[in-house]
Amino acid sequence: FEEAPVTDARGLTAPPGGRLGAFLAAALDNGLYLLPDGRWYISTVHGEAELEETLAAAEAALAVVVGVE
């Protein structure tokens, strides 16, 4: 969903801009590493505490994106 076509590997792996890029950067600042296209992976080894921690970090990242901090 880029404005210009992807023509090389660097363009394919470049971090996204806009709100998604801002969310990914804020998520990383809050301890979440998400893939550049915004995908998340969880595992059956993640328990309730890990899921709560992840959701709290995502909520904090969303607050940064919408300017609610």
Side-chain angles (χ1 to χ4, degrees), residues 7-54:
T7 58
D8 58 16
R10 183 171 292 153
L12 181 64
T13 59
R19 289 185 179 158
L20 177 58
F23 173 71
L24 293 175
L28 189 57
D29 288 344
N30 282 280
L32 298 179
Y33 176 74
L34 306 177
L35 296 174
D37 63 1
R39 284 180 288 156
W40 304 44
Y41 289 103
I42 59 171
S43 168
T44 57
V45 299
H46 294 118
E48 196 69 31
E50 290 85 5
L51 292 175
E52 290 297 326
E53 184 179 339
T54 299

